[in-house]
Amino acid sequence: MSQPARSPTAIILVAFSFMCLIWGSTWMMIKIGVRDAPPLTTLGLRFWIAGLLVLITVLVRRKPIPRDRASLSFGVFLGLFHMAFPYSLVYWAEQYISSGLTAVLYATMPLMVAILARVFLGNPLTASKIIGIAFGLGGVTVIYSDHLGWQGEHGALGIAAVLLSVLFASLSAVALKKRSPEIDPMSGLLIPFLVGGAVISLAAGIIEGANPVHLDMTTWGTILYLAVLGSVVAFSLYFWTIKRIDVTLLSYQTFIIPILALLFGWIFIHEGVSARVALGTLLILGGISLANFQQLRKHLSR
């Protein structure tokens, strides 16, 4: 007996969930990777490896490589604003602030995306979205309230770097939504990864070139994990998913990811889970449900 076809809604849910699981683990992996290695050097290697994997995949699957001027220009834009700038800032910041604090600051992205999507895409900024985002941010803040203090002399600069990273990532998310119907989920990654790798490696040579680099097995393990899963797989899912749901709804992943990052920290590095975590989780789930209420009702009514 043939199996019934899986609904598009279920496929989107699986893709979104897997993407969140991967990116929920990357905060911890970045933190481990920059403990004993220069951040820009490791990030550059990550993007070069990811770019090479994408190139091999594109050639094997005989997908078209972007060659026209518009595609190349947009690929360079994504390489700068979706890869090089935001990730360099996050990697640098995680040398001086905790991965939990980085995650909660990055969770401000839906607010920025909603505003930019209203300006550039004309997406409605409804009351449910605003209230849902407020609930989500409140929940994340409750969970990480113990981590919101300054840490070291570079703490203020680290926090500013993450907030600037959010601005860059939000701009690229809105631009990507505008162009997403034209972009293949895999070949669309090639130019951004290569541009990001080139720009970051150049910056690493200038800023970190005087320091000897010795990458141990742990650091290489984080680089490969972040390159294969955190970059190629997760971004492919991101490109695929962003074509199918509202850009503001997609950005609610930044509410879920800090929770997953906390769980990975609890499981793998034995961080405790307090009552604040339970309260924050309820606020976040309530906020996501409220913000997605109309969208969920549409799917459930099909």
Side-chain angles (χ1 to χ4, degrees), residues 127-137 252 255 283 286-288 290-291:
S128 62
K129 285 183 179 181
I130 295 174
I131 297 173
I133 289 172
F135 266 72
L137 289 174
Y252 294 143
F255 292 148
L283 287 172
I288 293 172
L290 178 61

Side-chain angles (χ1 to χ4, degrees), residues 115-301:
I115 296 171
L116 294 177
R118 176 68 182 91
V119 173
F120 294 108
L121 302 180
N123 289 6
L125 192 59
T126 63
S128 62
K129 285 183 179 181
I130 295 174
I131 297 173
I133 289 172
F135 266 72
L137 289 174
V140 174
T141 302
V142 168
I143 288 176
Y144 287 115
S145 58
D146 290 338
H147 298 274
L148 296 180
W150 307 112
Q151 298 185 19
E153 60 182 1
H154 291 94
L157 290 176
I159 288 174
V162 177
L163 292 175
L164 184 58
S165 172
V166 170
L167 175 60
F168 286 134
S170 299
L171 283 169
S172 66
V174 172
L176 185 57
K177 180 60 180 180
K178 198 170 184 178
R179 287 285 305 271
S180 61
E182 309 168 21
I183 299 174
D184 177 79
M186 184 57 67
S187 59
L189 290 169
L190 181 59
I191 302 301
F193 277 146
L194 294 180
V195 169
V199 171
I200 293 165
S201 295
L202 177 62
I206 296 172
I207 298 172
E208 302 171 347
N211 301 323
V213 179
H214 301 290
L215 304 180
D216 58 19
M217 293 299 295
T218 299
T219 304
W220 273 114
T222 63
I223 291 172
L224 292 174
Y225 180 91
L226 292 166
V228 177
L229 290 177
S231 295
V232 178
V233 175
F235 270 112
S236 296
L237 293 172
Y238 180 82
F239 272 46
W240 184 86
T241 307
I242 201 171
K243 296 181 181 182
R244 292 161 173 83
I245 62 175
D246 179 82
V247 64
T248 305
L249 298 180
L250 179 62
S251 69
Y252 294 143
Q253 62 179 298
T254 54
F255 292 148
I256 301 171
I257 287 171
I259 304 299
L260 294 174
L262 181 71
L263 290 175
F264 280 119
W266 174 60
I267 294 170
F268 295 108
I269 56 178
H270 309 294
E271 294 179 342
V273 177
S274 66
R276 291 184 180 182
V277 173
L279 175 59
T281 301
L282 290 176
L283 287 172
I284 290 171
L285 293 177
I288 293 172
S289 299
L290 178 61
N292 291 323
F293 177 74
Q294 294 181 348
Q295 191 81 2
L296 289 171
R297 187 170 61 177
K298 287 181 182 179
H299 286 304
L300 291 173
S301 63

